[in-house]
Coordinates of all heavy atoms in Angstrom, one line a residue:
P1238 N -4.1 -6.9 -17.8 CA -2.7 -7.5 -17.9 C -1.8 -6.4 -18.5 O -0.6 -6.5 -18.1 CB -2.9 -8.7 -18.7 CG -4.4 -9.0 -18.7 CD -5.1 -7.7 -18.4
I1239 N -2.2 -5.7 -19.4 CA -1.3 -4.7 -20.1 C -0.9 -3.7 -19.1 O 0.3 -3.3 -19.1 CB -1.9 -4.1 -21.3 CG1 -2.1 -5.2 -22.4 CG2 -1.1 -3.0 -21.9 CD1 -2.9 -4.8 -23.6
A1240 N -1.8 -3.2 -18.3 CA -1.5 -2.1 -17.3 C -0.5 -2.6 -16.3 O 0.4 -1.8 -15.9 CB -2.8 -1.6 -16.7
I1241 N -0.7 -3.8 -15.8 CA 0.3 -4.4 -14.9 C 1.7 -4.5 -15.5 O 2.7 -4.2 -14.9 CB -0.2 -5.7 -14.3 CG1 -1.5 -5.4 -13.4 CG2 0.8 -6.3 -13.5 CD1 -2.2 -6.6 -12.9
T1242 N 1.7 -5.0 -16.7 CA 3.0 -5.1 -17.4 C 3.7 -3.8 -17.6 O 4.9 -3.7 -17.3 CB 2.8 -5.8 -18.7 OG1 2.1 -7.0 -18.6 CG2 4.1 -6.1 -19.4
L1243 N 3.0 -2.8 -18.0 CA 3.6 -1.5 -18.1 C 4.0 -0.9 -16.9 O 5.1 -0.2 -16.8 CB 2.6 -0.6 -18.9 CG 2.3 -0.9 -20.4 CD1 1.2 0.0 -20.9 CD2 3.6 -0.9 -21.2
S1244 N 3.2 -1.0 -15.8 CA 3.6 -0.4 -14.5 C 4.8 -1.1 -13.9 O 5.6 -0.5 -13.2 CB 2.4 -0.4 -13.6 OG 2.0 -1.7 -13.3
V1245 N 4.9 -2.4 -14.1 CA 6.1 -3.1 -13.7 C 7.3 -2.6 -14.3 O 8.4 -2.4 -13.6 CB 6.0 -4.7 -13.9 CG1 7.3 -5.4 -13.7 CG2 5.0 -5.3 -13.0
Q1246 N 7.3 -2.3 -15.6 CA 8.4 -1.7 -16.2 C 8.8 -0.3 -15.7 O 9.9 0.1 -15.7 CB 8.2 -1.7 -17.8 CG 8.2 -3.0 -18.4 CD 7.8 -2.9 -19.9 OE1 7.4 -1.9 -20.4 NE2 7.8 -4.1 -20.5
L1247 N 7.8 0.4 -15.3 CA 8.0 1.8 -14.9 C 8.5 1.9 -13.4 O 9.4 2.6 -13.1 CB 6.7 2.6 -15.0 CG 6.2 3.0 -16.4 CD1 4.9 3.7 -16.4 CD2 7.3 3.9 -17.1
V1248 N 7.8 1.2 -12.5 CA 8.2 1.4 -11.1 C 8.8 0.1 -10.4 O 9.3 0.3 -9.3 CB 6.9 1.8 -10.3 CG1 6.4 3.2 -10.7 CG2 5.8 0.7 -10.3
G1249 N 8.7 -1.0 -11.0 CA 9.3 -2.2 -10.5 C 8.3 -3.3 -9.9 O 7.2 -2.9 -9.6
V1250 N 8.9 -4.4 -9.8 CA 8.0 -5.6 -9.4 C 7.6 -5.4 -8.0 O 6.3 -5.7 -7.7 CB 8.9 -6.9 -9.6 CG1 8.1 -8.0 -9.1 CG2 9.2 -7.1 -11.1
Y1251 N 8.5 -5.1 -7.1 CA 8.0 -5.1 -5.7 C 6.9 -4.1 -5.4 O 6.0 -4.3 -4.7 CB 9.3 -4.8 -4.8 CG 10.3 -5.9 -4.8 CD1 11.6 -5.7 -5.1 CD2 9.9 -7.2 -4.4 CE1 12.5 -6.7 -5.1 CE2 10.8 -8.2 -4.4 CZ 12.1 -8.0 -4.8 OH 13.0 -9.0 -4.7
L1252 N 7.1 -2.9 -5.9 CA 6.1 -1.9 -5.7 C 4.7 -2.2 -6.3 O 3.7 -2.0 -5.6 CB 6.6 -0.5 -6.2 CG 5.7 0.7 -5.9 CD1 5.6 0.8 -4.4 CD2 6.4 1.9 -6.5
V1253 N 4.7 -2.8 -7.5 CA 3.5 -3.1 -8.1 C 2.7 -4.3 -7.3 O 1.6 -4.1 -7.0 CB 3.7 -3.5 -9.6 CG1 2.4 -4.1 -10.2 CG2 4.1 -2.4 -10.4
F1254 N 3.5 -5.3 -7.0 CA 2.8 -6.4 -6.3 C 2.5 -6.1 -4.8 O 1.5 -6.6 -4.3 CB 3.7 -7.7 -6.5 CG 3.5 -8.2 -7.9 CD1 4.5 -8.1 -8.8 CD2 2.4 -8.8 -8.3 CE1 4.4 -8.6 -10.1 CE2 2.2 -9.3 -9.6 CZ 3.2 -9.2 -10.5
A1255 N 3.3 -5.2 -4.2 CA 3.0 -4.8 -2.9 C 1.7 -4.0 -2.9 O 0.8 -4.2 -2.0 CB 4.1 -4.0 -2.3
S1256 N 1.5 -3.1 -3.9 CA 0.3 -2.3 -3.9 C -0.9 -3.1 -4.4 O -2.0 -2.7 -4.1 CB 0.5 -1.1 -4.9 OG 0.7 -1.6 -6.2
L1257 N -0.7 -4.3 -5.0 CA -1.8 -5.2 -5.3 C -2.2 -6.1 -4.2 O -3.4 -6.4 -4.0 CB -1.5 -6.0 -6.5 CG -1.4 -5.2 -7.9 CD1 -0.9 -6.2 -8.9 CD2 -2.8 -4.7 -8.3
I1258 N -1.3 -6.6 -3.5 CA -1.5 -7.7 -2.5 C -1.7 -7.2 -1.1 O -2.6 -7.6 -0.4 CB -0.4 -8.7 -2.6 CG1 -0.4 -9.3 -4.0 CG2 -0.5 -9.7 -1.5 CD1 0.8 -10.2 -4.3
I1259 N -0.8 -6.3 -0.6 CA -0.8 -5.9 0.9 C -2.1 -5.3 1.3 O -2.6 -5.5 2.4 CB 0.5 -5.2 1.2 CG1 1.7 -6.1 1.0 CG2 0.4 -4.6 2.6 CD1 3.0 -5.5 1.2
P1260 N -2.6 -4.3 0.6 CA -3.9 -3.7 1.0 C -5.1 -4.8 1.1 O -5.8 -4.7 2.0 CB -4.3 -2.7 0.0 CG -3.0 -2.3 -0.6 CD -2.1 -3.6 -0.6
A1261 N -5.1 -5.7 0.3 CA -6.1 -6.8 0.4 C -5.9 -7.7 1.6 O -6.8 -8.0 2.3 CB -6.1 -7.6 -0.9
L1262 N -4.6 -7.9 1.9 CA -4.3 -8.7 3.1 C -4.6 -7.9 4.4 O -5.0 -8.6 5.4 CB -2.9 -9.2 3.1 CG -2.5 -10.2 2.1 CD1 -0.9 -10.5 2.1 CD2 -3.3 -11.5 2.3
G1263 N -4.4 -6.7 4.3 CA -4.7 -5.9 5.6 C -6.1 -5.6 5.9 O -6.5 -5.2 6.9
T1264 N -7.0 -6.0 4.9 CA -8.4 -5.7 5.2 C -9.3 -7.0 5.1 O -10.5 -6.9 4.9 CB -9.0 -4.8 4.0 OG1 -8.8 -5.4 2.7 CG2 -8.3 -3.5 4.0
V1265 N -8.7 -8.1 5.4 CA -9.4 -9.4 5.3 C -10.5 -9.5 6.3 O -11.6 -10.0 5.9 CB -8.4 -10.6 5.6 CG1 -9.1 -11.9 5.8 CG2 -7.4 -10.7 4.4
K1266 N -10.4 -8.9 7.4 CA -11.4 -9.1 8.5 C -12.6 -8.1 8.4 O -13.5 -8.2 9.1 CB -10.9 -9.0 9.9 CG -10.4 -7.7 10.3 CD -9.9 -7.7 11.7 CE -9.7 -6.2 12.2 NZ -9.4 -6.2 13.6
F1267 N -12.5 -7.1 7.4 CA -13.6 -6.1 7.3 C -14.7 -6.6 6.4 O -14.5 -7.5 5.6 CB -13.0 -4.8 6.8 CG -12.0 -4.1 7.7 CD1 -10.7 -4.1 7.5 CD2 -12.5 -3.5 8.9 CE1 -9.8 -3.5 8.4 CE2 -11.6 -2.9 9.7 CZ -10.3 -2.8 9.4
E1268 N -15.8 -5.9 6.5 CA -17.0 -6.2 5.6 C -16.7 -5.6 4.3 O -15.7 -4.8 4.1 CB -18.2 -5.5 6.2 CG -18.6 -6.1 7.5 CD -19.8 -5.3 8.2 OE1 -20.3 -4.3 7.5 OE2 -20.1 -5.6 9.3
D1269 N -17.5 -5.9 3.3 CA -17.2 -5.6 1.9 C -17.0 -4.1 1.7 O -15.9 -3.7 1.1 CB -18.4 -6.0 1.0 CG -18.3 -7.5 0.8 OD1 -17.3 -8.1 1.0 OD2 -19.4 -8.1 0.5
R1270 N -17.9 -3.2 2.1 CA -17.7 -1.8 1.8 C -16.6 -1.2 2.6 O -15.9 -0.4 2.2 CB -19.1 -1.1 2.1 CG -19.1 0.3 1.5 CD -20.5 0.9 1.4 NE -21.3 0.4 0.4 CZ -21.3 0.8 -0.9 NH1 -20.4 1.7 -1.3 NH2 -22.2 0.4 -1.8
K1271 N -16.5 -1.6 3.9 CA -15.4 -1.1 4.7 C -14.0 -1.7 4.2 O -13.0 -1.0 4.3 CB -15.6 -1.5 6.2 CG -16.7 -0.8 6.9 CD -16.8 -1.2 8.3 CE -17.9 -0.5 9.0 NZ -18.0 -0.9 10.4
R1272 N -14.1 -2.8 3.6 CA -12.9 -3.4 3.1 C -12.3 -2.6 2.0 O -11.1 -2.4 1.9 CB -13.1 -4.9 2.7 CG -11.9 -5.6 2.4 CD -12.2 -7.1 2.1 NE -11.0 -7.8 1.9 CZ -10.9 -9.0 1.5 NH1 -12.0 -9.7 1.3 NH2 -9.8 -9.6 1.3
L1273 N -13.2 -2.2 1.0 CA -12.7 -1.4 -0.1 C -12.2 -0.1 0.4 O -11.1 0.4 -0.1 CB -13.9 -1.2 -1.1 CG -13.6 -0.5 -2.4 CD1 -12.6 -1.2 -3.2 CD2 -14.8 -0.2 -3.1
F1274 N -12.9 0.6 1.3 CA -12.5 1.9 1.7 C -11.1 1.8 2.5 O -10.2 2.6 2.3 CB -13.5 2.5 2.7 CG -13.1 3.8 3.3 CD1 -13.0 5.0 2.6 CD2 -12.7 3.8 4.6 CE1 -12.6 6.1 3.2 CE2 -12.2 4.9 5.2 CZ -12.2 6.1 4.5
N1275 N -11.0 0.7 3.3 CA -9.8 0.6 4.1 C -8.5 0.2 3.2 O -7.4 0.6 3.5 CB -9.9 -0.4 5.2 CG -10.7 0.1 6.4 OD1 -10.6 1.3 6.7 ND2 -11.6 -0.7 6.9
G1276 N -8.9 -0.6 2.2 CA -7.8 -0.9 1.2 C -7.3 0.3 0.5 O -6.0 0.5 0.3
Y1277 N -8.2 1.2 0.1 CA -7.7 2.4 -0.6 C -7.0 3.3 0.4 O -6.1 4.0 0.1 CB -9.0 3.2 -1.1 CG -9.5 2.7 -2.4 CD1 -10.9 2.6 -2.6 CD2 -8.7 2.3 -3.4 CE1 -11.4 2.1 -3.8 CE2 -9.2 1.8 -4.6 CZ -10.6 1.8 -4.8 OH -11.0 1.3 -6.0
A1278 N -7.4 3.3 1.7 CA -6.7 4.1 2.7 C -5.3 3.6 2.9 O -4.4 4.4 3.1 CB -7.6 4.1 4.0
I1279 N -5.2 2.3 3.0 CA -3.9 1.7 3.3 C -3.0 2.1 2.1 O -1.8 2.5 2.3 CB -3.9 0.2 3.4 CG1 -4.6 -0.2 4.7 CG2 -2.5 -0.5 3.3 CD1 -4.9 -1.7 4.8
A1280 N -3.4 2.0 0.9 CA -2.6 2.3 -0.3 C -2.2 3.8 -0.3 O -1.1 4.2 -0.5 CB -3.3 1.9 -1.6
A1281 N -3.2 4.7 -0.1 CA -3.0 6.1 -0.1 C -2.0 6.5 1.0 O -1.1 7.3 0.7 CB -4.3 6.9 0.0
L1282 N -2.2 6.0 2.2 CA -1.3 6.4 3.3 C 0.1 5.8 3.1 O 1.1 6.5 3.4 CB -1.9 5.9 4.6 CG -3.1 6.6 5.1 CD1 -3.7 5.9 6.3 CD2 -2.7 8.1 5.5
S1283 N 0.2 4.7 2.5 CA 1.5 4.1 2.3 C 2.3 4.8 1.3 O 3.5 5.1 1.5 CB 1.3 2.6 1.9 OG 0.7 1.8 2.8
F1284 N 1.6 5.2 0.2 CA 2.3 6.0 -0.8 C 2.7 7.4 -0.3 O 3.8 7.9 -0.5 CB 1.4 6.2 -2.1 CG 1.6 5.0 -3.0 CD1 0.6 4.0 -3.1 CD2 2.7 4.9 -3.8 CE1 0.8 3.0 -3.9 CE2 2.9 3.9 -4.7 CZ 1.9 2.9 -4.8
T1285 N 1.8 8.0 0.5 CA 2.0 9.3 1.0 C 3.2 9.4 2.0 O 4.2 10.1 1.8 CB 0.7 9.9 1.6 OG1 -0.3 10.0 0.7 CG2 1.0 11.3 2.2
F1286 N 3.1 8.5 3.0 CA 4.2 8.5 4.0 C 5.4 7.9 3.5 O 6.5 8.3 3.9 CB 3.6 7.7 5.2 CG 2.8 8.5 6.1 CD1 1.4 8.5 6.0 CD2 3.4 9.4 7.1 CE1 0.6 9.2 6.8 CE2 2.6 10.2 7.9 CZ 1.2 10.1 7.8
G1287 N 5.3 7.0 2.5 CA 6.6 6.4 1.9 C 7.3 7.5 1.1 O 8.5 7.6 1.2
L1288 N 6.5 8.3 0.4 CA 7.2 9.4 -0.3 C 7.8 10.5 0.6 O 8.8 11.0 0.4 CB 6.3 10.0 -1.4 CG 6.0 9.2 -2.6 CD1 4.8 9.8 -3.4 CD2 7.2 9.0 -3.4
L1289 N 7.0 10.8 1.7 CA 7.5 11.8 2.6 C 8.8 11.3 3.3 O 9.8 12.0 3.5 CB 6.5 12.1 3.7 CG 5.3 12.9 3.2 CD1 4.2 13.0 4.3 CD2 5.7 14.3 2.8
I1290 N 8.8 10.0 3.7 CA 10.0 9.4 4.4 C 11.2 9.4 3.4 O 12.3 9.7 3.8 CB 9.7 8.0 5.0 CG1 8.7 8.2 6.2 CG2 10.9 7.3 5.4 CD1 8.1 6.9 6.6
S1291 N 10.8 9.0 2.2 CA 11.9 8.9 1.2 C 12.5 10.3 0.9 O 13.7 10.4 0.8 CB 11.3 8.4 -0.1 OG 12.2 8.5 -1.2
T1292 N 11.7 11.3 0.8 CA 12.2 12.7 0.6 C 13.0 13.2 1.8 O 14.1 13.7 1.7 CB 11.0 13.7 0.4 OG1 10.3 13.2 -0.8 CG2 11.5 15.0 0.1
W1293 N 12.5 12.9 3.0 CA 13.2 13.4 4.2 C 14.4 12.7 4.5 O 15.5 13.3 4.9 CB 12.2 13.1 5.4 CG 12.8 13.5 6.7 CD1 13.1 14.7 7.2 CD2 13.2 12.6 7.7 NE1 13.6 14.7 8.4 CE2 13.8 13.4 8.8 CE3 13.2 11.2 7.9 CZ2 14.3 12.8 9.9 CZ3 13.8 10.7 9.0 CH2 14.2 11.4 10.0
S1294 N 14.6 11.4 4.2 CA 15.8 10.6 4.5 C 16.7 10.4 3.3 O 17.7 9.7 3.4 CB 15.4 9.3 5.0 OG 14.6 8.5 4.1
D1295 N 16.2 10.9 2.2 CA 17.0 10.8 0.9 C 17.3 9.3 0.5 O 18.4 8.9 0.2 CB 18.4 11.5 1.0 CG 19.0 11.8 -0.3 OD1 18.3 11.9 -1.4 OD2 20.2 11.9 -0.4
L1296 N 16.3 8.5 0.6 CA 16.3 7.1 0.3 C 15.5 6.8 -1.0 O 14.6 7.7 -1.3 CB 15.8 6.2 1.4 CG 16.6 6.1 2.7 CD1 15.9 5.4 3.8 CD2 17.9 5.5 2.4
P1297 N 15.7 5.7 -1.7 CA 14.9 5.5 -2.9 C 13.4 5.3 -2.6 O 13.1 4.7 -1.6 CB 15.5 4.2 -3.5 CG 16.6 3.8 -2.6 CD 16.7 4.7 -1.5
S1298 N 12.6 5.9 -3.4 CA 11.2 5.9 -3.1 C 10.5 4.5 -3.1 O 9.7 4.2 -2.3 CB 10.4 6.8 -4.1 OG 10.9 8.1 -4.0
G1299 N 10.8 3.8 -4.1 CA 10.1 2.4 -4.3 C 10.3 1.5 -3.1 O 9.3 1.1 -2.5
P1300 N 11.5 1.3 -2.6 CA 11.7 0.4 -1.5 C 11.1 1.0 -0.2 O 10.5 0.3 0.6 CB 13.2 0.3 -1.3 CG 13.7 0.6 -2.7 CD 12.8 1.6 -3.3
V1301 N 11.1 2.3 0.0 CA 10.6 2.9 1.2 C 9.0 2.7 1.2 O 8.4 2.4 2.2 CB 10.9 4.4 1.3 CG1 10.2 5.0 2.5 CG2 12.5 4.5 1.5
I1302 N 8.4 2.9 0.0 CA 6.9 2.7 -0.1 C 6.6 1.3 0.2 O 5.6 1.0 0.9 CB 6.4 3.2 -1.5 CG1 6.6 4.7 -1.6 CG2 5.0 2.8 -1.6 CD1 6.4 5.2 -3.0
V1303 N 7.3 0.4 -0.4 CA 7.1 -1.1 -0.1 C 7.2 -1.4 1.4 O 6.5 -2.2 1.9 CB 8.1 -1.9 -1.0 CG1 8.0 -3.4 -0.6 CG2 7.8 -1.8 -2.5
C1304 N 8.1 -0.8 2.1 CA 8.3 -1.0 3.5 C 7.1 -0.4 4.3 O 6.8 -0.9 5.5 CB 9.6 -0.5 4.0 SG 11.0 -1.4 3.4
T1305 N 6.5 0.7 3.8 CA 5.4 1.3 4.6 C 4.1 0.5 4.4 O 3.2 0.7 5.2 CB 5.2 2.8 4.2 OG1 5.0 2.9 2.8 CG2 6.4 3.6 4.6
F1306 N 4.0 -0.2 3.3 CA 2.7 -1.0 3.1 C 2.5 -2.0 4.2 O 1.3 -1.9 4.7 CB 2.8 -1.7 1.7 CG 2.1 -1.0 0.6 CD1 2.9 -0.4 -0.4 CD2 0.8 -0.9 0.5 CE1 2.3 0.3 -1.4 CE2 0.2 -0.2 -0.5 CZ 1.0 0.4 -1.5
P1307 N 3.4 -2.8 4.6 CA 3.1 -3.7 5.7 C 2.7 -3.0 7.0 O 1.9 -3.5 7.8 CB 4.3 -4.6 5.9 CG 5.1 -4.4 4.6 CD 4.7 -3.1 4.1
A1308 N 3.4 -1.9 7.2 CA 3.2 -1.1 8.5 C 1.7 -0.6 8.6 O 1.1 -0.8 9.6 CB 4.1 0.1 8.6
F1309 N 1.2 -0.1 7.5 CA -0.1 0.4 7.5 C -1.1 -0.7 7.4 O -2.2 -0.6 8.0 CB -0.4 1.4 6.4 CG 0.1 2.8 6.7 CD1 1.3 3.3 6.1 CD2 -0.6 3.6 7.6 CE1 1.7 4.5 6.4 CE2 -0.1 4.8 7.9 CZ 1.0 5.3 7.3
A1310 N -0.8 -1.8 6.8 CA -1.6 -3.0 6.7 C -1.8 -3.6 8.2 O -2.9 -3.9 8.6 CB -1.2 -4.0 5.8
V1311 N -0.8 -3.6 8.9 CA -0.8 -4.2 10.3 C -1.7 -3.2 11.1 O -2.5 -3.6 12.0 CB 0.5 -4.4 10.9 CG1 0.5 -4.6 12.4 CG2 1.2 -5.5 10.2
L1312 N -1.4 -1.9 11.0 CA -2.2 -0.9 11.8 C -3.7 -1.0 11.5 O -4.5 -1.0 12.4 CB -1.7 0.5 11.5 CG -0.4 0.9 12.1 CD1 0.0 2.3 11.6 CD2 -0.5 0.9 13.6
F1313 N -4.1 -1.1 10.2 CA -5.4 -1.2 9.9 C -6.1 -2.6 10.3 O -7.2 -2.7 10.7 CB -5.6 -1.0 8.4 CG -5.8 0.4 8.0 CD1 -4.8 1.3 8.0 CD2 -7.1 0.9 7.6 CE1 -4.9 2.6 7.7 CE2 -7.3 2.2 7.3 CZ -6.1 3.1 7.3
S1314 N -5.3 -3.7 10.3 CA -5.8 -5.0 10.7 C -6.0 -5.0 12.2 O -6.8 -5.8 12.6 CB -4.9 -6.1 10.2 OG -3.7 -6.1 11.0
L1315 N -5.3 -4.2 12.9 CA -5.5 -4.1 14.4 C -6.8 -3.3 14.8 O -7.2 -3.4 15.9 CB -4.3 -3.5 15.1 CG -3.1 -4.4 15.0 CD1 -1.8 -3.7 15.6 CD2 -3.2 -5.8 15.6
R1316 N -7.2 -2.5 13.8 CA -8.5 -1.7 14.1 C -9.6 -2.6 14.1 O -9.7 -3.7 13.5 CB -8.6 -0.7 13.0 CG -7.7 0.5 13.1 CD -8.0 1.5 12.1 NE -9.4 1.5 11.6 CZ -9.9 2.1 10.6 NH1 -9.0 2.7 9.7 NH2 -11.1 2.1 10.3
K1317 N -10.7 -2.1 14.8 CA -11.9 -2.9 14.8 C -12.8 -2.5 13.6 O -12.9 -1.5 13.2 CB -12.7 -2.6 16.1 CG -14.0 -3.3 16.3 CD -13.8 -4.7 16.6 CE -15.1 -5.3 16.8 NZ -15.3 -6.6 16.6

């Protein structure tokens, strides 16, 4: 609980809760071990591409990362 409280103060509510909830939702249909790996992959790709898009387009990082989370979650949920 302390880590979540501190991270909300640092990066904001939307980014913290998007990084907690959306990877889990994007991996609902996978088995346990694949689910964990795919959840980490969704988070890593979302942060990476969100920061790249933010840098390239000169937009704020937090909202751009939050917008990339659902995109990668949908892409991963469409995979077999």
Side-chain angles (χ1 to χ4, degrees):
I1239 294 171
I1241 292 174
T1242 305
L1243 293 175
S1244 61
V1245 167
Q1246 291 175 355
L1247 290 174
V1248 297
V1250 173
Y1251 292 124
L1252 185 58
V1253 170
F1254 286 106
S1256 63
L1257 289 173
I1258 294 169
I1259 295 176
L1262 291 176
T1264 60
V1265 168
K1266 70 174 191 170
F1267 293 106
E1268 298 170 3
D1269 287 338
R1270 196 163 282 276
K1271 288 183 180 180
R1272 188 173 185 187
L1273 181 64
F1274 174 76
N1275 286 324
Y1277 283 138
I1279 289 171
L1282 289 171
S1283 296
F1284 275 101
T1285 302
F1286 279 94
L1288 287 172
L1289 288 173
I1290 292 168
S1291 170
T1292 302
W1293 177 72
S1294 62
D1295 197 28
L1296 292 171
S1298 299
V1301 174
I1302 293 170
V1303 170
C1304 290
T1305 57
F1306 265 107
F1309 281 105
V1311 167
L1312 286 174
F1313 273 72
S1314 68
L1315 294 175
R1316 285 184 27 195
K1317 180 76 177 156

